[in-house]
């Protein structure tokens, strides 16, 4: 049983990386294109030269790179920092610092930690980093 799980671990890691990258990408498309949902309450997309516009660019480009497993470590480093800022700078207050469900920062915290793991592990065996550069 353990050998089967070991053999499947690269596939499971690939699946997790692709799904998280895709979901992160959707946050950027929601900000710019209001797809799949409006992030602005239906009043149009965010300004490109704003904090939210910069975040959307990171989410779109970063989500694609994470899903592909390309330039994973530096991309994950930037995205982990972005999501740490989102949690501590946008969601958390002194009263709700350790209450992510109350401050609605749960997703930002989880993204930040997932990307931080990618900084240390790389993209895995089934990635473009491995294919193109021989490293994961």
């Amino acid at each position: 049983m353990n050998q089967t799980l070991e053999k499947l671990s690269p596939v499971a890691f690939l699946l997790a990386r692709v799904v998280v990258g895709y979901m992160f990408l959707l946050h950027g498309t929601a900000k710019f294109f209001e797809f799949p949902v409006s992030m602005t309450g239906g009043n149009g997309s965010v300004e490109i030269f704003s904090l939210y516009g910069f975040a959307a660019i990171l989410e779109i480009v970063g989500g694609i790179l994470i899903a592909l497993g390309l330039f994973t470590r530096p991309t994950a480093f930037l995205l982990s920092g972005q999501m740490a800022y989102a949690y501590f700078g946008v969601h958390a207050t002194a009263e709700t610092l350790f209450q992510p469900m109350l401050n609605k920062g749960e997703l930002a915290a989880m993204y930040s930690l997932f990307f931080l793991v990618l900084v240390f592990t790389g993209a895995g065996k089934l990635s473009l980093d491995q294919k193109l550069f021989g490293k994961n």
Side-chain angles (χ1 to χ4, degrees):
M1 174 91 162
N2 279 344
Q3 287 181 340
T4 303
L5 291 176
E6 272 304 310
K7 288 180 185 176
L8 291 175
S9 68
V11 176
F13 195 61
L14 168 69
L15 182 63
R17 198 188 72 240
V18 168
V19 169
V20 169
Y22 173 70
M23 290 189 307
F24 201 67
L25 161 73
L26 290 178
H27 283 274
T29 61
K31 285 180 181 74
F32 273 147
F33 311 116
E34 296 188 330
F35 176 82
V37 296
S38 170
M39 297 293 287
T40 61
N43 297 325
S45 63
V46 298
E47 301 260 343
I48 193 166
F49 295 110
S50 68
L51 190 59
Y52 285 110
F54 181 64
I57 291 168
L58 287 176
E59 290 162 357
I60 291 170
V61 175
I64 291 169
L65 291 174
I66 293 295
L68 294 174
L70 183 61
F71 308 118
T72 304
R73 290 176 194 261
T75 301
F77 180 78
L78 285 172
L79 299 182
S80 180
Q82 176 193 7
M83 290 293 96
Y85 172 80
Y87 184 78
F88 292 108
V90 177
H91 292 283
T93 64
E95 296 81 27
T96 65
L97 183 62
F98 298 110
Q99 299 173 337
M101 292 177 71
L102 286 179
N103 66 32
K104 302 194 186 316
E106 187 176 19
L107 235 133
M110 287 195 300
Y111 274 129
S112 183
L113 289 173
F114 182 81
F115 294 139
L116 186 62
V117 167
L118 288 181
V119 170
F120 292 97
T121 64
K125 292 180 182 178
L126 303 175
S127 67
L128 285 179
D129 283 342
Q130 178 68 37
K131 182 80 171 164
L132 297 174
F133 310 117
K135 59 183 179 183
N136 57 21

